[in-house]
Amino acid sequence: MTVKAYISGKFSNYGINLSEANLLDITFSSGVDEADALTEDNIVTINVGIARFIPELLLRYTSVDENGFSTSWDIAGVKAYYAHLCKKYGLDDLLSDKPKATFL
């Protein structure tokens, strides 16, 4: 499986089709090429790239309804996936509403 197919598949689970520009943002930030094969060596880097991209992704529309055609995607599921990735890879969860305490 290619990196591109893996990333596209991860987002298609939530009804999201990524543009080529979105895929390039993720792969460039991960330091991999979208045509590379998915391996144990690059999967963590790719998942971190996906996590870093999700806040930008959530800035776009969540549904469209035009002339009887309607489409939407699962924003709650994407947020939960993002929180999972952040916890798994030790990233700051920028979308969390949970209060943070800092001890000096």
Side-chain angles (χ1 to χ4, degrees), residues 15 60-73:
R60 73 183 201 179
Y61 61 88
T62 58
S63 65
V64 173
D65 185 7
E66 187 175 321
N67 295 330
F69 173 77
S70 177
T71 187
S72 62
W73 46 277

Side-chain angles (χ1 to χ4, degrees), residues 17-74:
N17 295 316
L18 296 176
S19 70
E20 286 295 318
N22 296 148
L23 288 165
L24 288 174
D25 283 345
I26 295 168
T27 57
F28 283 168
S29 72
S30 301
V32 297
D33 188 281
E34 64 182 29
D36 288 348
L38 183 68
T39 66
E40 289 181 18
D41 294 331
N42 64 14
I43 195 164
V44 170
T45 305
I46 294 162
N47 280 321
V48 169
I50 289 171
R52 289 186 174 143
F53 176 74
I54 288 175
E56 179 183 332
L57 175 72
L58 294 178
L59 295 174
R60 73 183 201 179
Y61 61 88
T62 58
S63 65
V64 173
D65 185 7
E66 187 175 321
N67 295 330
F69 173 77
S70 177
T71 187
S72 62
W73 46 277
D74 182 7

